[in-house]
Amino acid sequence: KISEDLLFLNHKNNVQPVGSSLLYKFLQTTLCQQFREFHQHPIHNKVYLLRKSRIELRRMKFSPITAALAALATPAHSVLYGDEWVQDSQGKFWAFYSGGVAIIDPESCTVEETITQDNEMANLPAGWSDGVYMQPKDSDDQYILMNSRINRENVAGDSVSDVYIFDTKEREVIAKVETGPRIVHSYGVWTKDEFWTHSDGDGHFYVIDLEDIKNDSTTVGAKVKAHDQRPFHGKLMWNEDGMLVNRGFATATGEQFLFELDIETDQFTDQYDFSMDVKPGTCSGLHAIAYSSINNHIYTECSGGGGILEFNVEGLGIQFVHQHLSMTGSLYEVPDGSYVIATNKGGNKLHVFKPNGNGMQSSLAYDVEVPGYPSTPQFYPLDNVDGGADYMACMPLTSNPNQNHIDPESNDVMCSYYNGCTGAQTLADIDRGICYHDETMSSPKDLMRVSSTMVATDDALCQRCMDQGNYEDGMCTCTPNCGYCDTNFETDLSKSGVACVDLGKVVDGTVSSATLIEDAGGVKQGRGYSSSNECAFGRTYRSHKRGMKWDASISNYPRDSVVIVDMSTQEVACQVDVPGAPGRIVWAPNNSVPRPQNQLVLCFSGESTVNVFDKGATQMKDLNIGDKVEVSNGKYETIYSFGHKNAKTMGEFVQLRTEKSKIELSKDHMIFSQGKALPAGAMKIGDILDLSDGDSAKVTDINIVKRQGAFA
């Protein structure tokens, strides 16, 4: 029991009274996520534990839900790729360029070494997709696992890709692992020592066990389906602090399903069809995905238009919550879990969502202006404000740097993926790189072509074809150097670079737009697709990674290089040239780093019991929201929410037996013994447990048991 007027938190070295927001954070991160109602019903009489005179870690009936309810936990971790936990360790940037890797020291801004051949002395691939840094448990080995962007034909005649495995201490390729074709996104599921990579070619995740690398095996350990009828591009979301236990979620850009995977058993388990939940004609599939531990919601980006979908994954199932039609973008949880943000590249905005209660739609709390088509964010922790979102978020910009495509009067980019770069109506449009397409052609449209100068004379937009010297094989293209087809141009990087915003200042209302860091490079625009108009642009991506205070992003202009920004000052530190066009960047520590504890929140097994009004003794797995649980002798209170309710997961629990009963709970869960809260794993035979009726019981036996189901 803690007196309310003595409850303090040591926050940033200042002892401060706990206000309502800090109180919620304290309870959320200290009490095993049990009391999510503090978020749904801020500080009123119906909240579980708050009383007018005191905050009580209640000693209720001797059963899991009525034992001491404190737990040892840490704030939720935001998972983007799975190597965020090493970003504050001393290290080097590994820049993967066409045909090689450059290892860059951010302190000296120099390339220390390049790698151009694999373990078989063959040249490294000309293109790369995603990769992550990983460390096996209880080992000093250090790896980067990197997807090749180049497909090849194997001995069986199948189209395949390869994952290249680099030893970062020896600075060499030590193995290649064959996977399905067109692998793009990858994830370091370090809690299981597994690398997951998604094949867009066959719609499966390929799983590589780090133990197999240690044992010189070069085969895939598992292949996990993540599609319904056809394979599409997709992503994975898993949670490293254990809030989702073994549940993972995957997307596919061409199917109207949210897929559920079992991260523990490497299996496809379920799929949720959202086609009837969304506005007709929108959201043909899902792409980006994020998770909030505050409300146990999954957030997904619609492909093909349709905004952002929000799902409730509390308990065992998936429930649709809301379609945020007017917002879109790549989704990320802020590392402290306070907000979920979406970088709306085409809209030049950063949407900041505030998670509300479980099952309630999130609120759009802030919109930040970020001109220049922002890419994904990296987060640098600050020490400026009290409260949540105390991070600098930096995003490299992907704006078209072609000076020919920028209007000299308005300074607007006239030609890009987002405005289509088609439909030229005047010669001024053509001067700005806008294409003149043949509107009589079916989609995709070809550029307008004429067969004689006579025809060109009648077309005001086809003046170049009045010159017979511009004809080839009897045909002349009216705008051959428009859009993506313009390869000879001067660059204008005034709208490119890197944009940074202090999220803490966004939250306190003093900032509403990002700051442009100039002279921070730019990137070549993406090429159009098979369904695009001729010479159209495709999506443009700009990879970057944070290491300590530095953010390193790829750049093609004014030369192939890596631009390093000091996130603490929002200034360019340097631009380091690399031998080829850079594609991806990974941060690798100089030495192995102690891995964070896997905060797997189990709390109670499904076999543990609690007294329910009008039901009697009831197992945890059979409890429901609305049940009235005995909290003290003859007194019942209503269950408003579960911290988690997962009947599928397997976990280890401490079983404490007394002469009167037994209890099964996770080893770090707190339980009262003679007035003191102790971890269940610290209990010994003979210790005395406190019961809610004022009685006590001696521990007579202690066992470690494996149970299916984890509840809180």
Side-chain angles (χ1 to χ4, degrees):
K1 297 179 180 180
I2 308 170
S3 173
E4 187 176 19
D5 61 347
L6 294 178
L7 182 59
F8 291 83
L9 285 181
N10 189 344
H11 186 67
K12 297 189 184 300
N13 302 318
N14 296 313
V15 178
Q16 301 177 358
V18 176
S20 60
S21 62
L22 285 179
L23 173 61
Y24 167 66
K25 194 64 178 176
F26 166 74
L27 290 170
Q28 182 197 43
T29 59
T30 308
L31 303 186
C32 199
Q33 302 280 350
Q34 299 275 353
F35 308 113
R36 189 159 291 136
E37 284 300 302
F38 272 100
H39 190 78
Q40 297 181 41
H41 306 289
I43 316 305
H44 59 62
N45 291 336
K46 292 184 180 179
V47 173
Y48 285 123
L49 301 178
L50 186 61
R51 298 296 179 90
K52 291 182 180 179
S53 60
R54 67 194 179 193
I55 294 172
E56 179 179 353
L57 301 182
R58 190 185 302 280
R59 282 176 277 175
M60 298 181 284
K61 277 288 186 181
F62 182 51
S63 61
I65 202 167
T66 60
L69 294 179
L72 300 177
T74 58
H77 297 285
S78 171
V79 174
L80 305 182
Y81 300 106
D83 56 4
E84 290 78 20
W85 60 278
V86 301
Q87 287 183 315
D88 291 307
S89 302
Q90 293 275 353
K92 304 290 189 295
F93 288 113
W94 285 53
F96 290 79
Y97 62 86
S98 178
V101 187
I103 303 171
I104 299 173
D105 177 19
E107 294 276 4
S108 63
C109 289
T110 58
V111 174
E112 290 189 343
E113 189 174 345
T114 59
I115 304 170
T116 58
Q117 293 184 318
D118 65 18
N119 54 316
E120 298 173 345
M121 304 306 291
N123 292 334
L124 291 182
W128 304 94
S129 293
D130 286 352
V132 294
Y133 169 86
M134 297 196 73
Q135 268 181 219
K137 184 180 179 181
D138 301 325
S139 171
D140 290 332
D141 293 338
Q142 297 175 257
Y143 305 130
I144 289 176
L145 291 89
M146 177 61 62
N147 291 344
S148 168
R149 195 177 181 87
I150 308 302
N151 290 336
R152 62 177 177 84
E153 187 177 287
N154 66 8
V155 293
D158 299 323
S159 178
V160 296
S161 296
D162 294 291
V163 175
Y164 283 72
I165 303 172
F166 293 79
D167 183 320
T168 65
K169 289 191 296 186
E170 299 298 327
R171 297 185 171 182
E172 63 182 10
V173 178
I174 59 173
K176 288 187 298 185
V177 178
E178 182 179 299
T179 67
R182 301 195 344 254
I183 49 175
V184 180
H185 296 303
S186 61
Y187 307 87
V189 185
W190 58 265
T191 55
K192 283 199 63 195
D193 271 357
E194 289 182 346
F195 173 83
W196 286 52
T197 184
H198 185 266
S199 166
D200 291 357
D202 65 22
H204 287 75
F205 285 97
Y206 287 77
V207 182
I208 299 173
D209 193 317
L210 298 190
E211 190 67 27
D212 291 339
I213 300 174
K214 292 170 60 178
N215 296 331
D216 297 325
S217 173
T218 56
T219 58
V220 170
K223 182 179 175 182
V224 185
K225 178 185 176 183
H227 66 278
D228 182 52
Q229 297 296 321
R230 293 177 52 201
F232 287 93
H233 180 73
K235 289 190 172 186
L236 172 72
M237 169 51 60
W238 64 286
N239 178 253
E240 65 186 5
D241 69 3
M243 282 300 296
L244 289 174
V245 194
N246 60 327
R247 301 175 77 192
F249 297 91
T251 62
T253 56
E255 294 188 313
Q256 292 182 301
F257 294 97
L258 176 63
F259 300 100
E260 183 173 341
L261 313 176
D262 190 316
I263 299 295
E264 180 65 31
T265 62
D266 300 339
Q267 291 181 336
F268 172 92
T269 57
D270 201 2
Q271 61 189 41
Y272 179 85
D273 183 347
F274 59 82
S275 60
M276 301 302 293
D277 299 316
V278 299
K279 182 179 178 180
T282 68
C283 204
S284 58
L286 302 176
H287 186 217
I289 183 168
Y291 167 74
S292 170
S293 55
I294 288 179
N295 56 10
N296 247 1
H297 285 192
I298 291 287
Y299 301 77
T300 59
E301 172 200 21
C302 286
S303 53
I308 290 170
L309 304 188
E310 188 172 353
F311 299 91
N312 177 16
V313 295
E314 181 90 1
L316 301 180
I318 300 172
Q319 294 179 322
F320 180 80
V321 175
H322 186 67
Q323 182 177 15
H324 301 269
L325 275 166
S326 60
M327 283 78 73
T328 189
S330 296
L331 290 152
Y332 305 91
E333 183 187 25
V334 175
D336 65 2
S338 56
Y339 295 90
V340 172
I341 65 175
T343 51
N344 185 345
K345 186 184 292 184
N348 292 308
K349 289 183 182 295
L350 182 71
H351 304 301
V352 183
F353 291 94
K354 180 65 178 176
N356 292 316
N358 177 251
M360 302 167 60
Q361 76 176 67
S362 298
S363 307
L364 178 64
Y366 311 97
D367 257 346
V368 182
E369 299 291 332
V370 192
Y373 306 130
S375 189
T376 59
Q378 289 283 319
F379 303 98
Y380 175 66
L382 301 174
D383 195 17
N384 294 339
V385 297
D386 297 333
D390 193 14
Y391 297 90
M392 182 66 66
C394 289
M395 299 150 282
L397 303 178
T398 64
S399 181
N400 183 358
N402 186 340
Q403 192 175 60
N404 298 338
H405 296 168
I406 300 175
D407 188 290
E409 295 182 2
S410 66
N411 202 33
D412 292 333
V413 176
M414 305 300 294
C415 188
S416 72
Y417 169 75
Y418 296 99
N419 58 24
C421 202
T422 188
Q425 296 181 349
T426 66
L427 292 177
D429 289 343
I430 292 175
D431 288 341
R432 296 281 70 82
I434 298 176
C435 296
Y436 178 26
H437 288 106
D438 186 349
E439 297 296 330
T440 65
M441 300 292 292
S442 59
S443 183
K445 300 180 180 68
D446 291 338
L447 293 177
M448 176 62 76
R449 292 174 171 84
V450 296
S451 59
S452 71
T453 55
M454 292 276 303
V455 177
T457 302
D458 295 332
D459 194 332
L461 301 181
C462 207
Q463 288 192 355
R464 73 176 298 273
C465 293
M466 294 176 67
D467 183 348
Q468 194 65 40
N470 291 325
Y471 284 75
E472 185 175 348
D473 297 329
M475 298 295 293
C476 173
T477 304
C478 298
T479 56
N481 298 315
C482 68
Y484 182 85
C485 297
D486 186 1
T487 58
N488 184 22
F489 58 88
E490 296 293 326
T491 58
D492 181 347
L493 300 178
S494 62
K495 291 185 173 294
S496 191
V498 174
C500 294
V501 61
D502 186 329
L503 294 178
K505 292 183 179 179
V506 171
V507 171
D508 69 20
T510 58
V511 166
S512 60
S513 60
T515 299
L516 173 63
I517 301 175
E518 298 180 350
D519 299 319
V523 287
K524 183 178 180 180
Q525 300 299 283
R527 186 172 190 168
Y529 311 105
S530 59
S531 58
S532 302
N533 293 339
E534 188 177 0
C535 292
F537 287 114
R539 293 181 181 88
T540 300
Y541 301 96
R542 190 174 178 188
S543 171
H544 70 134
K545 199 76 170 182
R546 180 177 76 84
M548 301 181 68
K549 67 177 182 178
W550 295 288
D551 178 83
S553 57
I554 65 170
S555 179
N556 305 116
Y557 306 110
R559 55 195 179 275
D560 289 332
S561 58
V562 171
V563 176
I564 299 177
V565 167
D566 186 331
M567 297 179 76
S568 66
T569 62
Q570 295 87 65
E571 296 177 344
V572 175
C574 55
Q575 189 162 0
V576 182
D577 293 355
V578 293
R584 294 293 190 275
I585 296 179
V586 176
W587 177 258
N590 293 334
N591 302 297
S592 59
V593 179
R595 297 204 318 184
Q597 293 294 317
N598 177 17
Q599 300 294 332
L600 182 60
V601 183
L602 296 174
C603 292
F604 304 109
S605 76
E607 295 188 11
S608 299
T609 59
V610 61
N611 291 326
V612 177
F613 184 73
D614 281 345
K615 292 183 181 179
T618 302
Q619 289 188 325
M620 287 285 291
K621 64 185 179 182
D622 297 323
L623 284 177
N624 296 298
I625 291 174
D627 285 345
K628 296 182 183 297
V629 177
E630 189 173 12
V631 297
S632 60
N633 202 19
K635 184 175 181 180
Y636 293 83
E637 290 189 3
T638 302
I639 295 176
Y640 291 99
S641 177
F642 288 92
H644 54 265
K645 186 178 181 182
N646 194 324
K648 300 178 183 179
T649 189
M650 292 295 297
E652 287 189 351
F653 298 87
V654 177
Q655 183 190 78
L656 303 175
R657 285 186 175 271
T658 72
E659 297 172 350
K660 299 182 178 182
S661 186
K662 71 175 182 179
I663 183 172
E664 294 178 358
L665 65 171
S666 52
K667 65 182 179 66
D668 289 332
H669 206 292
M670 306 298 278
I671 191 166
F672 281 107
S673 175
Q674 296 181 301
K676 295 182 178 180
L678 300 174
M683 299 297 292
K684 299 180 178 62
I685 293 176
D687 285 348
I688 305 298
L689 292 182
D690 300 341
L691 306 182
S692 60
D693 58 7
D695 201 355
S696 60
K698 182 182 292 186
V699 177
T700 59
D701 192 24
I702 301 175
N703 294 293
I704 303 298
V705 296
K706 285 191 174 183
R707 301 289 190 220
Q708 183 171 350
F711 302 85

